[in-house]
Amino acid sequence: MAEKQQDHVSRKAATKAGALLSASDELDTASLATAQAWRVQHLEPTARCFEALTQCAKHFEGAVVSYRLKRMTSILRKLQRRNSNFELGALDDIGGCRLIVGSVREVYDAAKILDDLLDHWKIKDYIAAPQRSGYRSYHAIYKVPVGGIAYRIEVQIRTRLQHLWATGVEAVGEVYGLEYKSPDVRASLEGEEQKRDRFLMLSSHLFALEEGKPGVPDVKGDLAAVRREISAICETTHLLEDLRAARSGILVQADSDERDEYFLLCLSREIQFFDVVGFPEFQAANDEYKRLEKEALRIEDGNDVVVAEPEFDNVVLVKAESADSIKSSYLNYSLGVDGFISRVEQASGLSLS
């Protein structure tokens, strides 16, 4: 079946479609198709940003670079968030790249190098001023022009410890079926759910102090008090035991060899399957990534548009020295839970192994 070529979506058209999607619980198919086409248009500018980031990464031993497009479900949640005025055409994180380095000093050194390679627009420094949730990372928004549109691409630069904490948030969310990254979700938490959220805040606070940076707002008391609170939460909620049990049920398959430098990380939550596919060159890896993403928008029977998520729940393109370095540096909830647990126990003085 031949695929019909979609018209180029302007920023104004994307914003109009986003407004219709955010105003109603019933998703309009045409607006959804426009939003998805706008999302897919971010592939090329994000890939260009990724290539600049790989040049930057050469200055830092063991650095790992990745890029991805934000999933449509996540975009819709953001547009429909309570008391928000997000516009689809103005979202600056549809296309996102990430650089993981070893230290806070390297984070800021990398930011300076990247500013010389790309058109810098805006900074959000959540290392100097952590979010109340505990989130810490350095964000820079760059404008990448393609086809007459200056796309806004978000770059996150963080340390391995900061990324390990983000891994923990993903893991807790997966295990208990809650989006702990969402402000709306966090505002409504009660009971043990609220305790888990508090645990994430406190662990981030300890990690921040370990890196010699400001702690998380609203976390009071000395280190001993924070450690006691973490211990009490873990004892009453069995959180760390639940994380260990969840990790053991995930199948990780790696298809790569020593020549590979680029990797597609493909996650299927339903069957608890994580596939790591290696490529020796960027072009082949990027072509496969584009294929997986573009499958989400198909044209059938003339003008009937079918919009769906790609076959995997999440796909990320990563540049790393090897598949093993991905496991040690680019950690997602399925690969990094053990490391997160270990660092929490180390920082808080726990001994639950």
Side-chain angles (χ1 to χ4, degrees):
M1 183 180 299
E3 180 173 307
K4 179 182 176 181
Q5 181 66 38
Q6 289 289 288
D7 293 333
H8 195 75
V9 176
S10 67
R11 190 180 301 279
K12 182 177 180 181
T15 295
K16 181 179 179 181
L20 292 173
L21 292 171
S22 64
S24 174
D25 292 334
E26 294 292 330
L27 296 181
D28 176 69
T29 302
S31 297
L32 194 56
T34 299
Q36 176 66 318
W38 173 250
R39 172 183 176 272
V40 169
Q41 282 175 204
H42 283 70
L43 276 169
E44 184 175 350
T46 309
R48 291 186 183 182
C49 191
F50 173 83
E51 290 184 276
L53 209 55
T54 60
Q55 295 300 312
C56 175
K58 293 177 180 178
H59 297 271
F60 307 100
E61 183 178 357
V64 174
V65 187
S66 66
Y67 94 80
R68 62 90 181 110
L69 294 189
K70 198 178 190 74
R71 281 290 183 259
M72 265 315 304
T73 51
S74 298
I75 293 172
L76 291 173
R77 277 199 299 265
K78 193 165 188 175
L79 293 174
Q80 295 170 349
R81 188 177 295 170
R82 293 197 305 264
N83 303 318
S84 70
N85 295 307
F86 289 117
E87 295 182 351
L88 181 59
L91 291 184
D92 52 27
D93 63 348
I94 293 177
C97 296
R98 179 177 294 150
L99 172 64
I100 302 170
V101 293
S103 68
V104 171
R105 178 177 179 178
E106 288 184 343
V107 168
Y108 292 111
D109 287 345
K112 292 178 182 177
I113 294 171
L114 202 57
D115 282 350
D116 292 333
L117 299 174
L118 295 169
D119 182 12
H120 169 260
W121 183 49
K122 186 166 57 176
I123 289 175
K124 302 174 186 176
D125 189 347
Y126 299 122
I127 299 176
Q131 291 185 338
R132 294 184 182 279
S133 65
Y135 180 79
R136 298 189 308 126
S137 185
Y138 181 94
H139 290 201
I141 311 299
Y142 294 94
K143 290 185 177 181
V144 182
V146 175
I149 299 176
Y151 292 91
R152 301 164 185 173
I153 309 300
E154 180 183 80
V155 173
Q156 299 175 0
I157 311 175
R158 57 176 62 160
T159 66
R160 296 187 185 95
L161 186 57
Q162 291 160 15
H163 190 64
L164 203 59
W165 179 85
T167 295
V169 176
E170 294 280 351
V172 173
E174 289 293 333
V175 170
Y176 299 106
L178 283 174
E179 189 75 16
Y180 278 90
K181 297 186 294 184
S182 166
D184 287 346
V185 170
R186 294 186 64 249
S188 62
L189 296 178
E190 297 179 346
E192 287 202 354
E193 294 173 352
Q194 192 172 53
K195 287 182 179 180
R196 296 183 197 113
D197 183 62
R198 178 71 176 171
F199 163 83
L200 292 170
M201 291 173 58
L202 295 173
S203 58
S204 177
H205 183 76
L206 292 184
F207 289 173
L209 298 184
E210 184 178 328
E211 292 186 323
K213 304 308 292 183
V216 177
D218 300 333
V219 175
K220 308 299 181 184
D222 59 19
L223 280 178
V226 172
R227 288 168 175 157
R228 284 196 300 270
E229 187 175 355
I230 287 179
S231 179
I233 292 173
C234 290
E235 183 176 350
T236 59
T237 64
H238 307 289
L239 192 155
L240 295 187
E241 289 95 327
D242 289 346
L243 290 181
R244 285 194 183 93
R247 170 62 183 91
S248 64
I250 295 170
L251 174 64
V252 180
Q253 175 176 298
D255 181 14
S256 65
D257 60 37
E258 65 276 2
R259 299 175 303 160
D260 295 333
E261 296 183 15
Y262 298 89
F263 303 87
L264 285 181
L265 279 56
C266 307
L267 169 68
S268 176
R269 292 189 176 93
E270 183 178 357
I271 62 174
Q272 292 287 277
F273 179 70
F274 195 80
D275 194 16
V276 180
V277 184
F279 299 83
E281 298 177 355
F282 171 70
Q283 191 60 55
N286 196 43
D287 287 346
E288 177 62 10
Y289 179 76
K290 288 181 178 180
R291 185 191 70 78
L292 290 170
E293 289 294 353
K294 288 180 178 179
E295 281 189 351
L297 183 63
R298 301 188 299 275
I299 308 301
E300 297 186 357
D301 299 329
N303 294 322
D304 292 336
V305 180
V306 177
V307 182
E309 292 287 11
E311 59 185 282
F312 293 101
D313 294 288
N314 196 22
V315 182
V316 181
L317 197 159
V318 178
K319 169 74 165 65
E321 295 175 352
S322 66
D324 287 340
S325 68
I326 291 175
K327 295 179 181 180
S328 63
S329 297
Y330 185 90
L331 304 168
N332 82 334
Y333 88 91
S334 64
L335 295 179
V337 174
D338 291 339
F340 172 70
I341 293 171
S342 177
R343 291 304 294 264
V344 169
E345 292 180 343
Q346 178 183 334
S348 61
L350 290 169
S351 180
L352 300 178
S353 301

